[in-house]
Amino acid sequence: MHRMAQATTGDTSLASIGDSEFDRDTTVVPRSGVTGVYDAELSAGWTIIRAVNGGYLLAILGRALADALPHPDPFSITAHYLTASRPGPAVVRTDVARTGRTLSTGQASLFQTAEDGTEVERIRVVASYGDLDALPDDARTSAVPPAIPPYEHCFGPQDGPAPVPGSSAITDRLALRLDPSTCGWALGKPSGKGEMRAWFGLADGRDHDPLSLLLAVDALPPTAFELGLSGWVPTVELTVHVRRRPAPGPLRVSITTRNLAGGFLEEDAEVWDSEDRLVAQSRQLARALLG
């Protein structure tokens, strides 16, 4: 998450789909002569205040693992956020734990160099990869898509209060339209319910894929807004399950928090595609700085 809650308002690039901003900014470049090591540049375009968004970071690690493992798609990926990432150069180091016929498992860590010259680990990930296109179409689920008003009846950044200075970088890269019933925080009247719902897309119109789903689960304003909290809401751990390759068109994202205790809260997210299919689920644990 790494979001601020305001109760007011030579080598070959591995960018995989076209030349969208998301692809360019999640590019990882294999380091010559070193297996499993990739160089990346964390873009300031995916920050809130000065913190790099956790879903964007997860997509960078996910792209590196897609190259390091024999299977193309993340099925399950768990990240522990160890220290705050900042825009600038980074190194991703991957390790293959196991390869199988249908699933492969690996781990990856993202490092940056601190001002004193020491290397600092920012994120550590363990993931299982497979091939989404090889899965049978046999969905049996009691889950239902979230009830969100039509896109044109939902609120975008232009409909809210003036943004906090320096906070709008990531919103410029997203086509995000919030359900009005989860926007009480923007009027200084949070509902007290831990809910956030929105239509989600990329501003440049890029179609979604498994990597953009890793961003989608962590790109909405935090549910802490509607709980009436303010301050930083940093992610401790985030697990994402990718269930299907999304159909073209905007996604619907629903996030809920049921328990805030001991200064920590959980966020459970569901992502639905334009064909009413549940394409991703996630849970994260985050700190709620009550002061």
Side-chain angles (χ1 to χ4, degrees):
M1 189 183 300
H2 294 302
R3 295 168 286 176
M4 174 170 275
Q6 291 275 346
T8 60
T9 66
D11 291 324
T12 302
S13 167
L14 297 180
S16 62
I17 299 181
D19 192 32
S20 80
E21 198 161 32
F22 176 76
D23 291 322
R24 292 195 303 271
D25 290 345
T26 58
T27 293
V28 293
V29 179
R31 186 169 289 184
S32 179
V34 186
T35 301
V37 179
Y38 304 83
D39 291 299
E41 183 75 18
L42 306 188
S43 170
W46 302 89
T47 55
I48 302 277
I49 311 305
R50 283 172 300 276
V52 182
N53 173 264
Y56 162 71
L57 294 169
L58 193 57
I60 291 175
L61 289 156
R63 193 179 291 282
L65 282 168
D67 183 72
L69 295 170
H71 291 93
D73 303 315
F75 277 21
S76 176
I77 184 165
T78 296
H80 287 265
Y81 294 81
L82 308 178
T83 55
S85 300
R86 54 179 173 77
V91 177
V92 179
R93 293 190 172 92
T94 65
D95 180 63
V96 178
R98 178 186 180 275
T99 60
R101 186 175 62 84
T102 58
L103 286 175
S104 296
T105 301
Q107 60 184 8
S109 290
L110 185 144
F111 298 86
Q112 290 188 300
T113 301
E115 291 183 1
D116 62 4
T118 59
E119 192 174 62
V120 180
E121 186 176 7
R122 303 299 194 192
I123 311 169
R124 186 176 299 183
V125 160
V126 176
S128 291
Y129 273 57
D131 184 353
L132 289 170
D133 295 329
L135 295 180
D137 188 12
D138 63 348
R140 285 169 281 183
T141 180
S142 60
V144 295
I148 300 179
Y151 188 90
E152 61 273 14
H153 295 160
C154 291
F155 294 156
Q158 70 280 2
D159 300 311
V164 178
S167 69
S168 62
I170 190 171
T171 59
D172 291 341
R173 284 151 183 80
L174 302 177
L176 196 64
R177 304 282 289 192
L178 296 173
D179 183 337
S181 68
T182 65
C183 289
W185 58 273
L187 303 174
K189 298 179 180 179
S191 68
K193 300 177 181 179
E195 298 178 352
M196 197 66 61
R197 291 182 295 275
W199 294 91
F200 175 84
L202 294 169
D204 61 12
R206 176 198 190 275
D207 280 333
H208 292 290
D209 67 355
L211 288 181
S212 70
L213 295 179
L214 303 183
L215 170 68
V217 299
D218 194 50
L220 272 61
T223 55
F225 280 17
E226 279 296 270
L227 291 173
L229 303 183
S230 63
W232 291 104
V233 188
T235 301
V236 176
E237 180 267 345
L238 170 61
T239 295
V240 185
H241 295 163
V242 178
R243 310 305 301 271
R244 290 172 174 265
R245 191 176 303 283
L251 303 171
R252 284 160 293 168
V253 183
S254 173
I255 304 178
T256 59
T257 292
R258 296 186 302 165
N259 191 47
L260 166 62
F264 291 86
L265 56 81
E266 91 289 343
E267 285 193 345
D268 290 319
E270 292 183 352
V271 183
W272 295 77
D273 72 2
S274 59
E275 295 182 358
D276 283 345
R277 302 181 307 169
L278 182 60
V279 293
Q281 299 163 277
S282 73
R283 166 167 281 195
Q284 69 172 273
L285 180 69
R287 292 186 65 194
L289 305 184
L290 302 181

